[in-house]
Amino acid sequence: MINTEVEVRPATAADLSAVNEICNQYVAETHYTFDVEPMSMDARREWFSHYDAAGRYRLVVAVSEGRVIGYASSSRFRPKPAYETSIETSIYLAPESVDRGAGSQLYEGLFKLLEGEDVHRAYAGIALPNPASIAIHERFGFKRVAHFTEQGRKFGRYWDVAWYEKPVGAEPNDPAAD
Ligand SMILES: CC(C)(COP(=O)(O)OP(=O)(O)OC[C@H]1O[C@@H](n2cnc3c(N)ncnc32)[C@H](O)[C@@H]1OP(=O)(O)O)[C@@H](O)C(=O)NCCC(=O)NCCS
Protein backbone atom coordinates (compact mmCIF):
# COMPACT_ATOMS: atom_id res chain seq x y z
CA MET A 1 0.00 0.00 0.00
CA ILE A 2 1.41 3.44 -1.01
CA ASN A 3 0.22 6.17 1.34
CA THR A 4 -1.50 9.00 -0.52
CA GLU A 5 -1.16 12.59 0.72
CA VAL A 6 -4.76 13.27 1.65
CA GLU A 7 -6.65 16.00 3.49
CA VAL A 8 -9.85 14.86 5.20
CA ARG A 9 -12.38 17.59 5.95
CA PRO A 10 -16.14 18.11 6.34
CA ALA A 11 -17.91 18.18 2.97
CA THR A 12 -19.40 21.36 1.56
CA ALA A 13 -22.00 21.88 -1.14
CA ALA A 14 -19.15 22.50 -3.60
CA ASP A 15 -18.00 18.87 -3.14
CA LEU A 16 -21.33 17.32 -4.10
CA SER A 17 -20.78 16.91 -7.80
CA ALA A 18 -17.53 14.97 -7.17
CA VAL A 19 -19.25 12.90 -4.47
CA ASN A 20 -22.13 12.17 -6.84
CA GLU A 21 -19.79 11.14 -9.64
CA ILE A 22 -17.88 8.72 -7.39
CA CYS A 23 -21.06 7.21 -5.99
CA ASN A 24 -22.87 6.90 -9.31
CA GLN A 25 -20.01 4.94 -10.81
CA TYR A 26 -20.45 2.29 -8.11
CA VAL A 27 -24.23 2.42 -8.56
CA ALA A 28 -23.88 1.65 -12.25
CA GLU A 29 -21.10 -0.92 -12.12
CA THR A 30 -21.15 -2.76 -8.78
CA HIS A 31 -23.29 -4.49 -6.19
CA TYR A 32 -21.50 -2.51 -3.40
CA THR A 33 -24.41 -0.08 -3.14
CA PHE A 34 -28.02 -1.20 -3.47
CA ASP A 35 -29.01 1.99 -5.27
CA VAL A 36 -29.91 0.87 -8.76
CA GLU A 37 -30.31 4.22 -10.54
CA PRO A 38 -27.76 7.04 -10.59
CA MET A 39 -28.64 9.90 -8.26
CA SER A 40 -29.44 13.30 -9.79
CA MET A 41 -27.76 16.41 -8.39
CA ASP A 42 -31.11 17.60 -6.99
CA ALA A 43 -31.48 14.31 -5.10
CA ARG A 44 -27.83 14.54 -4.00
CA ARG A 45 -28.42 18.02 -2.55
CA GLU A 46 -31.46 16.72 -0.65
CA TRP A 47 -29.32 13.80 0.64
CA PHE A 48 -26.66 16.31 1.78
CA SER A 49 -29.25 18.21 3.85
CA HIS A 50 -29.28 15.23 6.27
CA TYR A 51 -25.67 15.90 7.30
CA ASP A 52 -24.47 18.59 9.64
CA ALA A 53 -21.38 20.33 10.98
CA ALA A 54 -22.14 18.92 14.45
CA GLY A 55 -23.91 15.91 15.87
CA ARG A 56 -24.19 12.32 14.72
CA TYR A 57 -24.67 12.72 11.01
CA ARG A 58 -21.50 13.77 9.23
CA LEU A 59 -20.11 13.75 5.74
CA VAL A 60 -16.35 14.02 5.19
CA VAL A 61 -14.38 14.09 1.97
CA ALA A 62 -10.81 13.10 1.14
CA VAL A 63 -8.99 15.63 -1.03
CA SER A 64 -5.79 14.87 -2.90
CA GLU A 65 -4.06 17.44 -5.11
CA GLY A 66 -7.14 19.65 -4.92
CA ARG A 67 -9.51 16.90 -6.06
CA VAL A 68 -12.18 15.07 -4.04
CA ILE A 69 -11.20 11.40 -4.25
CA GLY A 70 -13.64 9.91 -1.76
CA TYR A 71 -16.11 10.40 1.03
CA ALA A 72 -17.37 8.78 4.21
CA SER A 73 -20.64 9.37 6.00
CA SER A 74 -22.51 8.58 9.19
CA SER A 75 -26.27 8.42 8.76
CA ARG A 76 -29.30 7.56 10.82
CA PHE A 77 -29.59 3.75 11.11
CA ARG A 78 -33.40 3.43 11.32
CA PRO A 79 -36.15 6.05 11.82
CA LYS A 80 -37.70 4.97 15.14
CA PRO A 81 -36.49 7.13 18.06
CA ALA A 82 -34.76 4.46 20.16
CA TYR A 83 -32.40 3.79 17.23
CA GLU A 84 -31.12 7.36 17.49
CA THR A 85 -27.81 6.39 19.09
CA SER A 86 -27.05 3.97 16.24
CA ILE A 87 -25.53 5.22 13.01
CA GLU A 88 -24.81 3.56 9.69
CA THR A 89 -21.49 4.41 8.11
CA SER A 90 -20.54 4.32 4.47
CA ILE A 91 -17.31 4.94 2.57
CA TYR A 92 -16.46 5.25 -1.13
CA LEU A 93 -13.27 6.17 -2.94
CA ALA A 94 -12.81 6.92 -6.61
CA PRO A 95 -11.71 3.60 -8.18
CA GLU A 96 -8.24 4.93 -9.04
CA SER A 97 -7.63 5.94 -5.39
CA VAL A 98 -8.31 2.65 -3.60
CA ASP A 99 -5.80 0.63 -1.58
CA ARG A 100 -3.46 3.55 -0.79
CA GLY A 101 -4.56 4.36 2.72
CA ALA A 102 -7.08 7.08 1.78
CA GLY A 103 -10.03 5.02 3.05
CA SER A 104 -8.35 4.59 6.43
CA GLN A 105 -7.68 8.33 6.63
CA LEU A 106 -11.34 9.05 5.81
CA TYR A 107 -12.63 6.74 8.54
CA GLU A 108 -10.10 8.16 11.02
CA GLY A 109 -11.42 11.64 10.23
CA LEU A 110 -15.06 10.57 10.47
CA PHE A 111 -14.72 8.73 13.79
CA LYS A 112 -12.69 11.62 15.24
CA LEU A 113 -15.57 13.99 14.49
CA LEU A 114 -17.95 11.60 16.25
CA GLU A 115 -15.91 11.56 19.47
CA GLY A 116 -18.02 13.07 22.23
CA GLU A 117 -21.25 12.79 20.23
CA ASP A 118 -24.19 10.80 21.57
CA VAL A 119 -23.49 7.72 19.43
CA HIS A 120 -23.29 4.21 20.85
CA ARG A 121 -23.10 1.83 17.88
CA ALA A 122 -22.00 2.13 14.26
CA TYR A 123 -23.19 -0.35 11.64
CA ALA A 124 -22.04 -1.12 8.13
CA GLY A 125 -23.86 -3.39 5.72
CA ILE A 126 -21.43 -4.95 3.25
CA ALA A 127 -22.90 -6.58 0.15
CA LEU A 128 -20.76 -9.63 -0.49
CA PRO A 129 -18.23 -10.20 -1.87
CA ASN A 130 -16.21 -7.08 -0.98
CA PRO A 131 -12.85 -7.99 0.62
CA ALA A 132 -11.58 -4.36 0.71
CA SER A 133 -14.63 -3.20 2.61
CA ILE A 134 -14.41 -6.09 5.06
CA ALA A 135 -10.71 -5.30 5.63
CA ILE A 136 -11.24 -1.61 6.36
CA HIS A 137 -14.20 -2.21 8.66
CA GLU A 138 -12.29 -4.83 10.63
CA ARG A 139 -9.32 -2.44 10.82
CA PHE A 140 -11.61 0.11 12.49
CA GLY A 141 -12.93 -2.36 15.06
CA PHE A 142 -16.15 -3.43 13.36
CA LYS A 143 -17.12 -7.06 14.00
CA ARG A 144 -19.42 -9.18 11.86
CA VAL A 145 -22.69 -9.66 13.77
CA ALA A 146 -24.98 -10.93 11.03
CA HIS A 147 -25.02 -12.49 7.62
CA PHE A 148 -28.29 -11.88 5.78
CA THR A 149 -28.79 -14.09 2.76
CA GLU A 150 -30.03 -12.69 -0.54
CA GLN A 151 -31.03 -9.40 1.12
CA GLY A 152 -30.93 -7.36 -2.07
CA ARG A 153 -31.51 -7.85 -5.79
CA LYS A 154 -29.44 -6.03 -8.38
CA PHE A 155 -28.25 -6.91 -11.89
CA GLY A 156 -30.84 -9.69 -11.94
CA ARG A 157 -29.48 -11.64 -8.98
CA TYR A 158 -29.64 -11.66 -5.19
CA TRP A 159 -26.77 -10.58 -2.96
CA ASP A 160 -25.92 -11.52 0.62
CA VAL A 161 -25.15 -8.72 3.07
CA ALA A 162 -22.81 -9.04 6.06
CA TRP A 163 -23.64 -6.57 8.84
CA TYR A 164 -20.76 -5.20 10.88
CA GLU A 165 -21.00 -3.44 14.25
CA LYS A 166 -18.62 -1.14 16.10
CA PRO A 167 -19.00 0.23 19.63
CA VAL A 168 -18.61 4.01 19.64
CA GLY A 169 -18.15 6.12 22.77
CA ALA A 170 -17.39 4.86 26.22
CA GLU A 171 -20.77 4.71 27.97
CA PRO A 172 -21.75 1.11 28.75
CA ASN A 173 -25.24 0.21 29.92
CA ASP A 174 -25.53 0.61 33.66
CA PRO A 175 -26.03 -3.01 34.90
CA ALA A 176 -27.97 -1.63 37.90
CA ALA A 177 -30.53 -0.23 35.47
CA ASP A 178 -31.47 -3.66 34.06
C1 LIG B 1 -13.50 -0.10 0.78
C2 LIG B 1 -12.57 1.09 0.60
C3 LIG B 1 -13.25 2.36 1.11
C4 LIG B 1 -11.30 0.85 1.43
O1 LIG B 1 -10.46 1.99 1.34
P1 LIG B 1 -8.92 1.83 0.86
O2 LIG B 1 -8.31 3.18 0.83
O3 LIG B 1 -8.93 1.03 -0.38
O4 LIG B 1 -8.34 0.99 2.07
P2 LIG B 1 -6.93 1.24 2.78
O5 LIG B 1 -5.87 1.40 1.73
O6 LIG B 1 -7.09 2.34 3.78
O7 LIG B 1 -6.71 -0.15 3.50
C5 LIG B 1 -7.51 -0.57 4.59
C6 LIG B 1 -7.35 -2.07 4.73
O8 LIG B 1 -8.01 -2.70 3.62
C7 LIG B 1 -7.10 -3.59 2.95
N1 LIG B 1 -7.48 -3.63 1.54
C8 LIG B 1 -7.54 -2.60 0.68
N2 LIG B 1 -7.93 -3.04 -0.53
C9 LIG B 1 -8.10 -4.38 -0.41
C10 LIG B 1 -8.52 -5.41 -1.29
N3 LIG B 1 -8.83 -5.13 -2.57
N4 LIG B 1 -8.63 -6.67 -0.81
C11 LIG B 1 -8.34 -6.95 0.48
N5 LIG B 1 -7.95 -6.01 1.39
C12 LIG B 1 -7.83 -4.76 0.93
C13 LIG B 1 -5.75 -2.96 3.19
O9 LIG B 1 -4.71 -3.91 3.01
C14 LIG B 1 -5.90 -2.53 4.63
O10 LIG B 1 -5.80 -3.66 5.47
P3 LIG B 1 -4.96 -3.62 6.85
O11 LIG B 1 -5.76 -2.79 7.81
O12 LIG B 1 -4.92 -5.07 7.24
O13 LIG B 1 -3.64 -3.00 6.51
C15 LIG B 1 -12.16 1.29 -0.90
O14 LIG B 1 -11.46 0.15 -1.33
C16 LIG B 1 -13.34 1.54 -1.81
O15 LIG B 1 -13.77 2.67 -1.97
N6 LIG B 1 -13.86 0.45 -2.43
C17 LIG B 1 -14.97 0.56 -3.37
C18 LIG B 1 -16.25 1.09 -2.70
C19 LIG B 1 -16.69 0.20 -1.55
O16 LIG B 1 -16.64 -1.01 -1.63
N7 LIG B 1 -17.16 0.86 -0.46
C20 LIG B 1 -17.66 0.14 0.70
C21 LIG B 1 -19.05 -0.31 0.47
S1 LIG B 1 -19.67 -1.27 1.86
Side-chain angles (χ1 to χ4, degrees):
M1 185 206 308
I2 316 152
N3 255 21
T4 309
E5 202 53 49
V6 167
E7 179 204 357
V8 174
R9 58 160 175 77
T12 70
D15 300 319
L16 291 183
S17 108
V19 165
N20 207 34
E21 196 177 315
I22 292 166
C23 181
N24 282 343
Q25 199 165 339
Y26 288 108
V27 172
E29 293 171 10
T30 75
H31 63 279
Y32 300 158
T33 162
F34 280 178
D35 280 316
V36 294
E37 296 291 343
M39 197 181 272
S40 68
M41 276 305 292
D42 278 349
R44 182 62 65 185
R45 280 187 280 270
E46 199 283 325
W47 170 86
F48 183 52
S49 71
H50 297 272
Y51 300 99
D52 220 331
R56 303 180 179 102
Y57 311 124
R58 307 290 189 114
L59 180 66
V60 292
V61 289
V63 180
S64 173
E65 295 173 347
R67 204 168 60 87
V68 172
I69 59 160
Y71 67 95
S73 60
S74 58
S75 315
R76 195 174 177 107
F77 179 61
R78 295 190 73 179
K80 291 189 178 173
Y83 281 117
E84 205 171 52
T85 51
S86 289
I87 53 169
E88 183 172 350
T89 62
S90 187
I91 181 164
Y92 287 90
L93 290 175
E96 64 278 9
S97 300
V98 300
D99 202 15
R100 294 183 191 169
S104 296
Q105 290 177 69
L106 264 173
Y107 255 177
E108 262 162 42
L110 178 68
F111 285 111
K112 187 135 195 63
L113 288 179
L114 293 173
E115 278 172 15
E117 298 296 347
D118 186 20
V119 175
H120 193 56
R121 289 288 183 270
Y123 294 92
I126 303 178
L128 301 175
N130 192 342
S133 186
I134 289 172
I136 195 168
H137 285 92
E138 288 181 341
R139 181 186 179 125
F140 279 83
F142 284 79
K143 293 211 163 30
R144 189 181 291 206
V145 289
H147 179 134
F148 285 23
T149 62
E150 304 191 351
Q151 199 177 27
R153 186 172 61 195
K154 186 170 180 181
F155 305 139
R157 57 154 287 190
Y158 293 102
W159 301 90
D160 288 7
V161 180
W163 280 91
Y164 282 72
E165 180 184 74
K166 172 184 164 70
V168 181
E171 297 300 322
N173 266 341
D174 177 0
D178 284 338

